[in-house]
Amino acid sequence: MAIITTKRNTVYACEPLPDDSFVQICLGRPAGRNLLGTRGSDACQLAVKWAVGIADQMAQPITIMPISAAEFVAEHGGQLAKLDPEQRERLRRVAAASMLDVLRDCQDPKVRRDALSLLHEMRTIQ
C-alpha cells in the first residue's frame, strides 16, 4: 500500500491484485468509510492522482481500494436487482460495448477470451 501524505491529509492507495477489476474511491478509513465512487481498474492511477489533488480539502483521508468483480457484486448486487427494465437494458448495452472494446483493443489473449465468453453469455453474439 502506498501512503501519500499531502499538506493536510493522507491518501491510502492499495496495490491491485491480479483478479481486481474495479477500484473504489472512499473517504475515510476502511472501518468507517463512505464510498465516493467505483471505476474500472484501468482508472486506478487517475483515481490516485485525483485523490492527491483533492485530499487537502477533505476532513478525512481518502482510500483507493482495488476490488474483484465478485467483491463488487457482493457489495452492490442488491442495487443491481433494483434496476427497472430500462435501466437494466442500458447497463447491459454499456457492458456489451465495453466487452467489444476489449475484443478490439486488448492485446492479452486471455482477457479477450473472457470478454468473448461474457458476450456469449449475454447473448449479444452467437
Side-chain angles (χ1 to χ4, degrees):
M1 173 188 308
I3 301 172
I4 304 163
T5 305
T6 63
K7 289 181 183 178
R8 296 184 43 234
N9 213 336
T10 307
V11 174
Y12 300 99
C14 300
E15 295 295 322
L17 298 173
D19 63 338
D20 287 337
S21 303
F22 299 94
V23 61
Q24 289 185 332
I25 305 161
C26 305
L27 187 59
R29 290 179 174 80
R33 64 190 171 130
N34 294 307
L35 181 64
L36 296 177
T38 304
R39 301 284 181 257
S41 60
D42 58 336
C44 192
Q45 291 303 319
L46 290 173
V48 172
K49 184 177 178 181
W50 175 83
V52 169
I54 194 124
D56 288 336
Q57 298 174 40
M58 300 294 179
Q60 298 177 325
I62 300 174
T63 303
I64 308 299
M65 180 152 335
I67 60 171
S68 68
E71 291 168 320
F72 179 85
V73 170
E75 191 166 324
H76 300 288
Q79 294 170 349
L80 296 174
K82 295 177 187 176
L83 296 177
D84 65 44
E86 183 179 317
Q87 291 170 320
R88 189 167 297 185
E89 178 59 23
R90 238 186 336 218
L91 181 59
R92 191 188 75 73
R93 286 183 190 155
V94 168
S98 296
M99 293 303 103
L100 289 169
D101 286 345
V102 168
L103 283 176
R104 184 186 62 233
D105 299 333
C106 184
Q107 300 301 314
D108 186 334
K110 182 189 178 323
V111 174
R112 286 199 320 265
R113 278 193 307 272
D114 289 345
L116 184 61
S117 175
L118 285 171
L119 287 168
H120 282 293
E121 286 180 38
M122 293 171 63
R123 297 184 181 180
T124 302
I125 59 174
Q126 298 294 331

